Amino acid sequence: MSIFKMDFTRFSFPCGYSEQRSFLERTADLFTFVADDYGQQMVNCGVPEQRLHLLATGIIGAFYIYMQAKKPWNPVLGETYIGKWPNGAQIFGEQSSHHPPISDFQIYAPDNSWYCHAHCNFTISSGMFQVDVLQCGKFELEFNDGTKYEWEFPTICVQGIIRGARYVIIKGPLIVKDVTNGLTCQVEIAPKADKTKGIAKQRQTTIYGGILDGTGKNYISKITGDYADKVVVDGEELWNIDTKIAHRPIAPVDEDMILPSDCRFRLDRMYLIQKNMDVADEAKVIIEESQRREEKLRDRVPE
């Protein structure tokens, strides 16, 4: 029935559909540049508008890394993850709900100059030929000087589910708010061709936007470019895919910091990495059945 309802949050996919990382691990891709580069640039910048530009650029620059052909593992309830970037920034994640799927994250700067926490309550809007992943979770970033930012990641659309070529695209807009200074940066993804905006040809990875004025209709700055090429803010190139090196949080982590519930200890994941697909699928079924059994037991415990 889950297939006919197209409810992909309750449908168990074979391991061959998944990459080798859990969603908790993959979410770290969204912070590739913020945690490893642009966060520190913001610390050293005193202009609110420029800080907001840097944050938006860091978020946009990670889009191409996050876009993967295969789906991540669905974390089981209580699954955890810890990662560390080469510069010392750390990310902690935990699956706090199974249905609906909710993940919580905490990210710390290497010098504790900023802190980010996120509550990801993603939902699925399904059709016969495409799936929209509605990334409803709010991300909040706070600096030691008291400045707070918040944003939600745009919707991801997967086309070609049943037939046709498989495409994974981002549907905008991206809206990043400087809550402290009352600034809003809005960036359209794949805007229509418009010569007045300098968009001669539409690409799915084209971006256009900037910081909005008080009316919320006009831009007082311009962010243009392509998240598969470069990001330009008011004529200044702030990010380039050819020169900005992407770092994942794969630096060594102290063993006593890794919990037994860490997603890297999952047996199905291990067998997938070893390309033993049959055993991986069997292990995945056992893990999912165990989770369902525990869920039923919890429901029967009187409050």
Side-chain angles (χ1 to χ4, degrees):
M1 288 305 299
S2 296
I3 298 175
F4 288 109
K5 292 178 181 178
M6 302 299 286
D7 185 354
F8 291 101
T9 64
R10 294 182 178 273
F11 180 66
S12 180
F13 284 87
C15 292
Y17 281 83
S18 300
E19 64 162 304
Q20 298 176 356
R21 296 180 298 165
S22 162
F23 171 76
L24 298 178
E25 295 176 90
R26 183 155 158 181
T27 298
D29 286 353
L30 295 171
F31 294 90
T32 296
F33 294 106
V34 173
D36 196 53
D37 187 347
Y38 289 86
Q40 190 58 45
Q41 289 191 47
M42 293 174 70
V43 172
N44 300 327
C45 177
V47 182
E49 291 80 4
Q50 182 64 7
R51 292 181 99 185
L52 188 54
H53 288 150
L54 288 168
L55 177 57
T57 299
I59 296 170
I60 293 168
F63 282 169
Y64 83 98
I65 302 172
Y66 187 74
M67 306 293 280
Q68 302 290 329
K70 291 192 173 184
K71 65 181 291 294
W73 289 96
N74 293 327
V76 298
L77 181 62
E79 188 170 306
T80 59
Y81 169 69
I82 177 175
K84 186 175 183 181
W85 277 275
N87 70 339
Q90 293 189 86
I91 179 172
F92 301 85
E94 180 178 357
Q95 192 70 7
S96 53
S97 174
H98 180 54
H99 284 302
I102 298 176
S103 306
D104 289 284
F105 296 91
Q106 293 179 321
I107 304 170
Y108 295 88
D111 58 357
N112 292 317
S113 57
W114 55 262
Y115 161 72
C116 180
H117 59 94
H119 184 73
C120 302
N121 185 10
F122 294 174
T123 60
I124 302 291
S125 176
S126 306
M128 286 300 296
F129 304 109
Q130 75 176 47
V131 171
D132 286 346
V133 182
L134 310 177
Q135 307 191 100
C136 304
K138 181 181 291 185
F139 291 75
E140 298 182 0
L141 179 67
E142 183 175 350
F143 285 79
N144 285 347
D145 62 8
T147 309
K148 296 181 180 179
Y149 303 85
E150 64 181 36
W151 69 96
E152 290 185 359
F153 282 97
T155 296
I156 291 179
C157 176
V158 183
Q159 300 177 347
I161 297 294
I162 303 298
R163 62 180 176 84
R166 178 76 55 82
Y167 292 100
V168 184
I169 61 175
I170 294 178
K171 298 167 67 175
L174 167 69
I175 299 175
V176 186
K177 296 180 179 180
D178 178 342
V179 179
T180 303
N181 295 295
L183 299 173
T184 298
C185 180
Q186 178 174 298
V187 180
E188 298 176 58
I189 312 294
K192 294 181 180 179
D194 187 337
K195 291 183 179 179
T196 62
K197 296 180 179 179
I199 306 173
K201 184 179 180 181
Q202 183 195 39
R203 284 167 51 95
Q204 293 294 343
T205 51
T206 300
I207 60 170
Y208 181 88
I211 296 178
L212 295 168
D213 63 7
T215 67
K217 297 179 179 180
N218 304 305
Y219 294 114
I220 61 175
S221 65
K222 291 289 180 66
I223 297 179
T224 58
D226 189 313
Y227 67 77
D229 183 16
K230 59 186 176 182
V231 176
V232 178
V233 178
D234 292 335
E236 179 185 1
E237 184 180 290
L238 293 188
W239 180 85
N240 190 307
I241 195 171
D242 293 326
T243 57
K244 282 292 184 181
I245 299 175
H247 295 114
R248 283 186 167 134
I250 57 175
V253 177
D254 293 340
E255 290 188 9
D256 58 355
M257 293 287 289
I258 302 177
L259 300 176
S261 54
D262 194 276
C263 53
R264 285 162 289 201
F265 294 141
R266 286 183 58 156
L267 287 176
D268 46 5
R269 178 183 184 274
M270 180 191 71
Y271 287 119
L272 174 63
I273 293 173
Q274 296 175 352
K275 301 186 184 304
N276 193 338
M277 305 305 294
D278 291 339
V279 179
D281 284 329
E282 291 177 6
K284 184 171 184 289
V285 169
I286 292 173
I287 291 174
E288 291 174 345
E289 288 181 347
S290 298
Q291 181 174 227
R292 295 188 192 101
R293 179 178 179 276
E294 290 180 3
E295 185 176 14
K296 291 178 180 179
L297 289 174
R298 284 193 301 273
D299 289 341
R300 293 176 181 177
V301 174
E303 296 183 359

